[in-house]
Amino acid sequence: MQYQQEELARAVTILTNTIHNCEKMQRKFAEGTSQHTLLKNRIIALNISKALLTNDRTMTFTVEELREALPPVVSIIHKTARAQNKYEEGSSQFKRFEPLIQAMLISKAFIERRIEALSELR
């Protein structure tokens, strides 16, 4: 699937903001707690996503790292969609979740595409 530059730029902005928010939240939890680990894994996955979306060639990832990045991204999609469904479709509360869901769907697609490309090289 092809994405417009505007869509990618919007997704990168959302990823950047989400990474920042996760880093702020992570400081509130003791290292080793499940919340801290969850946020650590999300931050890693979001940074991988951002690198892929910006075509950052300074960062390389193994198939395993990419596979490990998928569950946190899928989790964000699932949790955000669940939160969105608590509101009436079309409402401002419902609509505010849309950009994050879109950014995560784009991230998921980029991660899956890179896994596929690296798997074909083997």
Side-chain angles (χ1 to χ4, degrees):
M1 176 174 218
Q2 292 286 14
Y3 295 100
Q4 302 292 324
Q5 278 306 119
E6 186 179 306
E7 280 180 294
L8 294 177
R10 210 172 20 247
V12 169
T13 299
I14 291 166
L15 287 168
T16 301
N17 292 337
T18 305
I19 290 166
H20 176 71
N21 291 336
C22 287
E23 288 171 341
K24 277 189 351 191
M25 275 192 291
Q26 187 183 32
R27 290 184 217 123
K28 297 178 182 182
F29 299 106
E31 200 167 327
T33 62
S34 60
Q35 297 95 334
H36 189 274
T37 303
L38 172 84
L39 289 165
K40 180 179 112 182
N41 292 336
R42 279 189 179 174
I43 292 165
I44 292 168
L46 293 169
N47 278 312
I48 288 172
S49 296
K50 184 177 172 184
L52 294 176
L53 268 66
T54 59
N55 200 22
D56 183 348
R57 296 188 190 281
T58 64
M59 299 180 74
T60 58
F61 307 103
T62 66
V63 171
E64 187 59 33
E65 288 171 323
L66 293 166
R67 284 192 177 124
E68 288 173 5
L70 272 177
V73 171
V74 170
S75 172
I76 293 170
I77 294 167
H78 176 72
K79 289 179 180 184
T80 307
R82 235 181 31 223
Q84 184 184 47
N85 287 330
K86 293 178 183 178
Y87 300 99
E88 187 175 323
E89 191 170 343
S91 69
S92 62
Q93 295 96 333
F94 185 92
K95 289 179 185 176
R96 76 182 173 99
F97 291 106
E98 229 16 74
L100 180 59
I101 293 170
Q102 269 311 113
M104 292 302 115
L105 288 171
I106 291 169
S107 295
K108 181 177 177 272
F110 269 69
I111 293 169
E112 290 172 339
R113 194 178 307 152
R114 182 62 60 95
I115 289 170
E116 188 176 309
L118 290 175
S119 296
E120 289 175 0
L121 293 176
R122 290 183 172 182

